Amino acid sequence: MLKFSKLWVPAVALTLAFGALSGCAGSGANADEPFKIAVIPVQTEGQLGDAMEKLQTILAESLDREVDIADYPDYNGVVEAMNFGHVDMAFFGPLTYVVAHQKSGAEAIVVQLVKGKPLYYSYIITHKDNPWNNLDELFADPGAVTFAFGDPSSTSGALVPGVELKARGVLVSETESKLKEVRYTGSHDITALAVQNKDVDAGAIDSAIYDNLVEQGTIDGNQFKIIWQSEELYQYPWAVKKGTDAALIKKLQDTFVSITDESILAGFGISGFAPTSNEDYESIRVVAEKEGRLE
């Protein structure tokens, strides 16, 4: 029976396990073995789990092969899973994809579409009761501000807003800032709930996930103000491991692009999928390299 699973394993243990398995996981496809897909923890609540189960079924039928999709406990765990050849495909954020491409040659083949376009933004949000309407007001007294990022390897939840906070002189690194507190929640929905519950003053979040959380009722959109928006970012990719057969890549692309099941699309908060390539992530690569994420 196909079942989408969550892996609640410490990242160190994952790395050790993948190292031990790397010797038996080559680049060639073996139809007798499950096609394994790793997924970053973009959100912990909502409809994503159901969407993954349905996606798993569609892929298994298309590939005529067992498919296992697993939700990993942190972004870096998915990079390492690909790096050690433990998975055939992975759902990355743009930053984690760029890192995985550099480390193991992972190749982006499918991108998500939001309102028909492969684009989204990083938002900084605050509670509606707070007096701030922009970042100048928020950081007028940085020593009084508590701020939440998502996972440290998140593009919209950490990298891009982090660059903005560094430019404003309130953030130095993951461990040093002029703020009262910097918290890493691990996922976008936890960040949103922390802001809604006034556990933090402001937080960074993926715009598409924010909109989806509001539509699902996971958070109350009336409780928030968006006080900053980044430039356009290229959406999350699905990438295969280096050396994947071209015919299999085409099959995967065709299968994703053909998906119209609203429960799957709603689970991801998207309007569809489209083919993509490594070149589409060059702008993220430039920022990641500048920030020392590709060392």
Side-chain angles (χ1 to χ4, degrees), residues 41 129 170 290:
D129 292 342
V170 298
K290 183 178 178 181

Side-chain angles (χ1 to χ4, degrees), residues 23 41 87 102 130 146 158 192 211 214 224 231 267:
V87 296
Q102 184 199 48
N130 290 328
T146 56
D211 290 342
V214 172
F224 295 90
E231 295 182 356

Side-chain angles (χ1 to χ4, degrees), residues 192-223:
L193 289 170
V195 173
Q196 179 171 290
N197 296 333
K198 300 184 180 180
D199 293 331
V200 295
D201 295 315
I205 190 170
D206 173 314
S207 64
I209 293 176
Y210 171 81
D211 290 342
N212 196 36
L213 291 171
V214 172
E215 290 172 7
Q216 291 180 12
T218 304
I219 60 174
D220 180 359
N222 295 321
Q223 300 301 307

Side-chain angles (χ1 to χ4, degrees), residues 106-125:
E107 286 291 332
I109 64 168
V110 173
V111 65
Q112 299 191 145
L113 300 176
V114 177
K115 298 179 181 178
K117 297 180 180 180
L119 304 171
Y120 74 118
Y121 305 91
S122 172
Y123 284 165
I124 291 178
I125 55 176

Side-chain angles (χ1 to χ4, degrees), residues 96 108 133 164 247 254:
T96 39
N133 294 298
E164 179 68 21
D254 290 346

Side-chain angles (χ1 to χ4, degrees), residues 124-192:
I124 291 178
I125 55 176
T126 190
H127 196 278
K128 70 174 182 62
D129 292 342
N130 290 328
W132 317 296
N133 294 298
N134 54 57
L135 295 191
D136 288 337
E137 294 175 0
L138 176 65
F139 296 130
D141 182 11
V145 175
T146 56
F147 194 92
F149 291 107
D151 188 286
S153 294
S154 170
T155 308
S156 56
L159 176 67
V160 171
V163 169
E164 179 68 21
L165 267 61
K166 287 178 180 178
R168 290 174 176 272
V170 298
L171 183 72
V172 179
S173 68
E174 287 183 23
T175 58
E176 183 180 355
S177 78
K178 295 180 180 179
L179 303 174
K180 179 180 180 180
E181 180 188 2
V182 174
R183 185 182 305 179
Y184 288 87
T185 67
S187 68
H188 295 280
D189 59 328
I190 296 177
T191 296

Side-chain angles (χ1 to χ4, degrees), residues 14-282:
L14 284 171
T15 301
L16 293 174
F18 299 154
L21 289 164
S22 61
C24 61
S27 61
N30 184 347
D32 294 329
E33 297 178 356
F35 186 79
K36 297 182 179 180
I37 303 175
V39 176
I40 58 171
V42 289
Q43 62 184 73
T44 60
E45 302 292 340
Q47 303 167 2
L48 189 56
D50 291 340
M52 286 293 187
E53 287 195 20
K54 290 186 177 181
L55 176 61
Q56 186 171 244
T57 300
I58 289 174
L59 289 172
E61 291 174 352
S62 176
L63 300 179
D64 191 23
R65 180 179 176 186
E66 183 180 351
V67 173
D68 290 339
I69 302 181
D71 183 12
Y72 279 61
D74 59 63
Y75 283 51
N76 189 59
V78 178
V79 173
E80 294 304 309
M82 180 67 78
N83 187 35
F84 286 108
H86 190 53
V87 296
D88 302 292
M89 189 177 197
F91 176 51
F92 289 113
L95 173 58
T96 39
Y97 164 67
V98 167
V99 173
H101 176 77
Q102 184 199 48
K103 280 191 167 188
S104 63
E107 286 291 332
I109 64 168
V110 173
V111 65
Q112 299 191 145
L113 300 176
V114 177
K115 298 179 181 178
K117 297 180 180 180
L119 304 171
Y120 74 118
Y121 305 91
S122 172
Y123 284 165
I124 291 178
I125 55 176
T126 190
H127 196 278
K128 70 174 182 62
D129 292 342
N130 290 328
W132 317 296
N133 294 298
N134 54 57
L135 295 191
D136 288 337
E137 294 175 0
L138 176 65
F139 296 130
D141 182 11
V145 175
T146 56
F147 194 92
F149 291 107
D151 188 286
S153 294
S154 170
T155 308
S156 56
L159 176 67
V160 171
V163 169
E164 179 68 21
L165 267 61
K166 287 178 180 178
R168 290 174 176 272
V170 298
L171 183 72
V172 179
S173 68
E174 287 183 23
T175 58
E176 183 180 355
S177 78
K178 295 180 180 179
L179 303 174
K180 179 180 180 180
E181 180 188 2
V182 174
R183 185 182 305 179
Y184 288 87
T185 67
S187 68
H188 295 280
D189 59 328
I190 296 177
T191 296
L193 289 170
V195 173
Q196 179 171 290
N197 296 333
K198 300 184 180 180
D199 293 331
V200 295
D201 295 315
I205 190 170
D206 173 314
S207 64
I209 293 176
Y210 171 81
D211 290 342
N212 196 36
L213 291 171
V214 172
E215 290 172 7
Q216 291 180 12
T218 304
I219 60 174
D220 180 359
N222 295 321
Q223 300 301 307
F224 295 90
K225 290 189 290 187
I226 299 167
I227 59 174
W228 179 80
Q229 176 180 301
S230 72
E231 295 182 356
E232 291 178 336
L233 304 173
Y234 204 75
Q235 257 285 349
Y236 292 49
W238 295 75
V240 292
K241 66 183 179 182
K242 183 179 181 180
T244 299
D245 182 75
L248 177 56
I249 290 175
K250 183 64 166 57
K251 187 70 170 178
L252 287 164
Q253 288 177 321
D254 290 346
T255 302
F256 272 91
V257 170
S258 69
I259 291 174
T260 57
D261 186 316
E262 283 300 324
S263 63
I264 293 177
L265 301 180
F268 286 97
I270 61 175
S271 59
F273 298 95
T276 193
S277 66
N278 181 60
E279 288 71 25
D280 291 324
Y281 293 89
E282 183 60 28

